[in-house]
């Protein structure tokens, strides 16, 4: 899952949301300790979601569509793609307004904790909220921009994101089915961890 997925899987718990959103920006066990306990739980949840996601059969099958051109980065494209399908899932976001309102609440909540956010994440959340990435993941154009961002940040890729976007479009139905095989299971996984 990418940012939208992690936000969604925080289930409206503010400090869990913050930790879940910054999870990739906090490295190591010692770095976690400087955060309040609830945010620490969010960071750990982020890592657990990533572990669950990376080992899920539907995610592994999805990665095959991206692996030839993007190798180890195939998982990043699948994470972004899953956010696209989540943003369009009427079971969780009945319409565009509901998705938009959710994204605004995410930005507002995260920004209430700015003094605790890692410096590199501050730039990300500013760009994210300014351009409303989470909302625009619902469109293919927004997902293509997300894919471009993956390639731009990748250290070891010498190919643009065109192939990844084409794989998504050409195999849209199949990849969407993989999303449906995955989403309810990751939700249940997170709910079980919170009990």
């Amino acid at each position: 899952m990418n940012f939208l997925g992690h936000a969604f899987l925080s289930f409206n718990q503010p400090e869990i949301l913050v930790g879940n959103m910054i999870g990739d920006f906090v490295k190591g066990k010692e770095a976690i300790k400087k955060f309040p306990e609830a945010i620490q739980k969010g960071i750990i949840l982020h890592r657990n979601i990533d572990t669950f996601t990376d080992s899920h059969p539907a995610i592994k099958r999805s990665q095959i569509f991206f692996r030839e051109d993007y190798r180890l980065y195939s998982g990043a494209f699948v994470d972004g793609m899953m956010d696209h399908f989540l943003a369009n899932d009427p079971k969780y976001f009945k319409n565009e307004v509901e998705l938009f309102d959710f994204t605004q609440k995410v930005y507002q909540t995260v920004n209430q904790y700015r003094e605790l956010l890692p410096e590199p994440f501050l730039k990300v959340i500013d760009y994210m909220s300014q351009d409303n990435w989470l909302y625009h993941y619902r469109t293919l154009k927004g997902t293509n921009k997300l894919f471009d961002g993956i390639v731009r940040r990748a250290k070891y890729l010498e190919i643009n994101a065109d192939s990844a976007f084409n794989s998504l479009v050409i195999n849209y139905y199949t990849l969407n089915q993989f999303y449906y095989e995955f989403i309810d299971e990751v939700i249940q996984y997170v709910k079980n961890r919170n009990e």
Side-chain angles (χ1 to χ4, degrees):
M1 306 297 292
N2 202 24
F3 287 114
L4 180 63
H6 282 286
F8 172 72
L9 292 170
S10 299
F11 299 119
N12 299 312
Q13 299 173 73
E15 291 178 311
I16 297 292
L17 169 65
V18 171
N20 215 341
M21 293 292 281
I22 66 173
D24 286 334
F25 296 82
V26 181
K27 305 295 184 190
K29 292 181 180 179
E30 289 303 312
I32 294 177
K33 294 178 182 175
K34 72 176 189 175
F35 295 98
E37 186 177 341
I39 292 178
Q40 290 182 39
K41 288 180 181 177
I43 295 167
I44 292 166
L45 176 61
H46 178 108
R47 294 175 180 176
N48 289 331
I49 290 168
D50 284 355
T51 300
F52 179 87
T53 299
D54 291 344
S55 64
H56 195 281
I59 299 301
K60 288 182 177 292
R61 290 197 307 275
S62 297
Q63 290 173 352
I64 292 168
F65 291 86
F66 302 92
R67 188 166 293 129
E68 183 177 344
D69 290 326
Y70 300 101
R71 302 175 308 281
L72 294 175
Y73 291 95
S74 62
F77 289 101
V78 171
D79 285 347
M81 175 194 77
M82 289 296 167
D83 272 14
H84 168 73
F85 291 130
L86 174 61
N88 287 285
D89 189 337
K91 183 174 180 181
Y92 302 112
F93 297 106
K94 292 183 178 71
N95 52 49
E96 292 177 21
V97 172
E98 195 171 292
L99 174 64
F100 181 85
D101 290 346
F102 175 80
T103 65
Q104 298 309 299
K105 186 174 180 183
V106 168
Y107 305 138
Q108 181 183 23
T109 301
V110 171
N111 277 310
Q112 289 173 353
Y113 294 84
R114 283 188 75 85
E115 72 280 356
L116 297 174
L117 302 177
E119 191 66 35
F121 181 76
L122 284 171
K123 293 178 184 176
V124 172
I125 192 63
D126 288 343
Y127 286 125
M128 187 187 303
S129 56
Q130 180 181 344
D131 295 333
N132 202 352
W133 295 357
L134 301 181
Y135 176 74
H136 290 293
Y137 289 163
R138 70 185 177 76
T139 68
L140 285 172
K141 182 178 179 181
T143 305
N144 195 23
K145 284 182 75 172
L146 184 157
F147 285 2
D148 285 338
I150 293 168
V151 170
R152 201 170 41 253
R153 289 185 302 278
K155 292 180 182 177
Y156 305 107
L157 280 181
E158 298 176 4
I159 184 174
N160 63 32
D162 292 351
S163 178
F165 184 70
N166 289 338
S167 290
L168 171 60
V169 172
I170 292 166
N171 301 290
Y172 195 89
Y173 176 79
T174 300
L175 292 167
N176 198 13
Q177 291 308 304
F178 292 154
Y179 160 81
Y180 284 116
E181 291 175 24
F182 166 73
I183 190 64
D184 289 338
E185 292 185 14
V186 72
I187 289 169
Q188 192 58 53
Y189 169 78
V190 172
K191 286 181 176 177
N192 289 345
R193 292 196 68 82
N194 286 338
E195 288 179 351

